[in-house]
Amino acid sequence: MASLPQLAHLPALSLLSIDSNNTGSATRGQELAFRNASIHERSVEYSQYDTDHIANQSTPPPEESHEAHELRAVSRGRKFTVLTSAFLTICITIGINQSYGVFQAAYTSEDGSIVESSQTASSALVAFVGTLGAGLTWAGSVAVNPLMARVPSPRYLTVPGVLLMSLGFGLASLATQVWHLLLTQGLLYGIGSSLMYFPILSVCPEYFSGRRGLAMGFVLSGSGIGAVVFTLITRQLLDMLGTRWTLRALAFIILLISLPIAITAPSSRFSSQRPTHIDIKLAMRPVFLFSIGAALLQASGNLIPLSFFPKYTIALGNTDAYGANLLAINNGISFLSRISIGYAGDRLGRQNVLMVTTLGSAGAVSGLWLKSAISGDQTLWICFVVLYGIFAGGYNALFPTTISEVFGIQAYASVNGFIYFVRGIGSFFGSPAGGAILGQGSRENYVNVVYFDLALLFGATMCVIGVRYFDAREKGGWSMKA
């Protein structure tokens, strides 16, 4: 707005110098009316100029402006606390899920199995224990997401979640049948991990804006660190304590680390309640349908190599400990990859980098694992372990930030929750189907498993490309950075 000293120099104000003694009352009234109209007209002109100038200089993009208006202010220290809490949550929940291959190798071995040998002959059934836990971690979002809008604090969900996770491992130590493991290490743990995972991870993107890709890349890299730590710890405990006491020790570790995180779980920054359901208009958008397809196929294909790392290594003539070490190496590489890929997504476009990582995962499977399965070459297998660690974590690191970019941060919780539900359904399908294809587990049988995995990952890549295309169409034009 123009100031009063500026208005004092306007030509209309020169009327103030008219001698009132030589002017009649009628003339004076006309002069006053003309003066007030002139001042108002010029004030509006200056006001409009200043408003347009400020808007052109400092108004953020519409999405950021709306987001800033809706979100409560937080300190930098609070952001750091949320970042750490979310990172540790990923370490525990997803880290345990991705280290299940060590338990699978133990359950199907003669020395480490705690169930009847007749039941461990089926790789698919034993693999489904880990698949059930991992799948429910994601698929549970369809129930947890609405509950988040109905409880006064997220700890009403996260604390019971931790207790169920710990109870699941504790009761699994008493198992004598595979269905006992399905109910405990699969069902109980899976429900608990979902109650722990979503209340914390669904609000995490709200605390970051400009570097959201880097922040979420760091948070989701916790799955790599967690998988490394839990793979090595589990392998050492199995050698020292045996299977039953390893499960009990892990139950205690989960309770010790997770309970403080659950008690201090962060709340949403939104001042108003966010939608928790997908409306039909959103569900019919092509970009949403392709996102669902990508989530389903990528989750199915992504877990297959992780589930069979130790067993395939044994099929090549190595020990189960060597297989566990390779799994740990893969997860360690994935940790570094997710951070760097999140940073690259902020710089080059998250959808662009997402396409590269899904295509790279499929390429690693076809170019390295397939040739290793055909020839029995261990060098190709080790190269695959490294390359798959680089690319496979890319989708997991970037798709949460892509959701907020494509659908908006206000719709993040509902869209993210539904897509995670679909990912859970996909994980129920991938590893068990791979186990059924594998049969007895000879190296030659892995060729068919690799072809199956390749089809899933290639399909996921096509869907990610579809998301990129239809998102550009909906936004009215193609952008090199998206």
Side-chain angles (χ1 to χ4, degrees):
M1 291 289 295
S3 62
L4 289 178
Q6 290 174 316
L7 293 175
H9 296 290
L10 295 175
L13 296 186
S14 62
L15 294 172
L16 294 174
S17 62
I18 298 177
D19 186 0
S20 60
N21 294 328
N22 298 327
T23 308
S25 60
T27 304
R28 183 180 296 109
Q30 293 174 353
E31 293 169 350
L32 290 173
F34 175 74
R35 180 190 66 187
N36 290 338
S38 300
I39 292 174
H40 175 72
E41 181 180 346
R42 295 300 180 92
S43 298
V44 170
E45 183 179 328
Y46 273 76
S47 175
Q48 184 64 41
Y49 168 78
D50 287 346
T51 302
D52 293 343
H53 179 72
I54 292 171
N56 291 333
Q57 295 295 321
S58 60
T59 301
E63 182 181 342
E64 293 182 10
S65 177
H66 176 72
E67 182 178 322
H69 176 73
E70 290 283 344
L71 298 178
R72 300 184 183 94
V74 290
S75 65
R76 185 171 297 180
R78 180 58 176 165
K79 290 183 178 181
F80 177 78
T81 302
V82 171
L83 193 71
T84 305
S85 176
F87 175 81
L88 292 175
T89 299
I90 288 287
C91 281
I92 297 163
T93 55
I94 308 302
I96 290 175
N97 291 341
Q98 293 189 354
S99 63
Y100 176 75
V102 179
F103 273 113
Q104 182 175 347
Y107 291 151
T108 55
S109 68
E110 295 182 0
D111 297 332
S113 181
I114 58 175
V115 298
E116 295 178 4
S117 58
S118 60
Q119 296 191 15
T120 60
S122 173
S123 298
L125 189 60
V126 176
F128 191 66
V129 175
T131 299
L132 181 61
L136 284 175
T137 301
W138 292 337
S141 63
V142 73
V144 176
N145 200 39
L147 286 175
M148 288 164 51
R150 291 170 171 78
V151 295
S153 171
R155 64 175 176 268
Y156 284 83
L157 300 176
T158 55
V159 172
V162 170
L163 297 178
L164 286 176
M165 290 168 65
S166 179
L167 184 64
F169 270 80
L171 292 178
S173 68
L174 305 176
T176 57
Q177 306 283 331
V178 173
W179 68 267
H180 296 165
L181 294 175
L182 288 169
L183 289 179
T184 55
Q185 195 174 357
L187 182 64
L188 276 182
Y189 165 80
I191 293 173
S193 62
S194 188
L195 288 169
M196 173 72 175
Y197 181 94
F198 277 101
I200 295 176
L201 267 293
S202 65
V203 303
C204 187
E206 301 171 9
Y207 285 79
F208 308 95
S209 54
R211 297 182 178 179
R212 186 173 289 152
L214 179 60
M216 292 305 296
F218 173 77
V219 167
L220 293 169
S221 71
S223 63
I225 287 293
V228 170
V229 171
F230 279 105
T231 296
L232 296 177
I233 288 178
T234 303
R235 183 66 261 164
Q236 290 298 318
L237 289 175
L238 286 170
D239 291 339
M240 294 170 56
L241 305 176
T243 304
R244 296 191 186 278
W245 278 103
T246 296
L247 289 166
R248 292 162 189 159
L250 287 175
F252 175 75
I253 291 172
I254 290 170
L255 191 65
L256 182 66
I257 299 175
S258 303
L259 196 56
I261 300 172
I263 293 173
T264 59
S267 300
S268 172
R269 287 182 63 194
F270 276 100
S271 55
S272 58
Q273 183 173 318
R274 299 175 298 172
T276 59
H277 296 88
I278 302 295
D279 61 74
I280 188 65
K281 184 178 179 181
L282 173 62
M284 296 307 295
R285 288 169 56 186
V287 68
F288 180 78
L289 296 176
F290 274 98
S291 297
I292 294 302
L296 180 70
L297 295 173
Q298 199 276 340
S300 297
N302 182 58
L303 289 177
I304 290 176
L306 299 177
S307 297
F308 293 102
F309 261 137
K311 288 201 67 178
Y312 180 73
T313 305
I314 294 171
L316 289 176
N318 301 291
T319 64
D320 54 352
Y322 184 72
N325 290 336
L326 286 183
L327 180 60
I329 291 171
N330 173 269
N331 287 313
I333 293 171
S334 179
F335 160 70
L336 298 174
S337 172
R338 293 186 190 207
I339 298 176
S340 58
I341 285 175
Y343 177 79
D346 287 338
R347 294 287 183 179
L348 305 175
R350 292 153 192 166
Q351 295 183 57
N352 294 338
V353 179
L354 195 63
M355 289 189 296
V356 173
T357 57
T358 51
L359 184 60
S361 298
V365 170
S366 63
L368 297 173
W369 192 14
L370 179 59
K371 292 181 178 179
S372 173
I374 293 173
S375 65
D377 192 314
Q378 296 206 36
T379 302
L380 290 175
W381 173 239
I382 294 173
C383 291
F384 170 76
V385 169
V386 174
L387 198 62
Y388 194 74
I390 293 173
F391 286 114
Y395 183 89
N396 298 325
L398 286 176
F399 96 86
T401 56
T402 303
I403 289 172
S404 62
E405 181 179 283
V406 173
F407 301 100
I409 192 68
Q410 180 72 17
Y412 176 81
S414 58
V415 175
N416 184 63
F418 188 80
I419 287 181
Y420 264 116
F421 168 71
V422 173
R423 283 178 62 78
I425 298 300
S427 66
F428 287 145
F429 170 70
S431 294
I437 294 171
L438 178 61
Q440 295 301 315
S442 64
R443 178 180 58 79
E444 291 76 12
N445 290 350
Y446 275 96
V447 174
N448 294 327
V449 176
V450 176
Y451 277 125
F452 173 64
D453 190 36
L454 178 60
L456 294 171
L457 293 176
F458 184 75
T461 303
M462 294 298 100
C463 288
V464 170
I465 294 173
V467 171
R468 177 76 166 90
Y469 172 74
F470 283 104
D471 181 55
R473 282 192 58 181
E474 288 184 2
K475 292 177 178 176
W478 186 269
S479 174
M480 290 301 294
K481 180 181 177 181

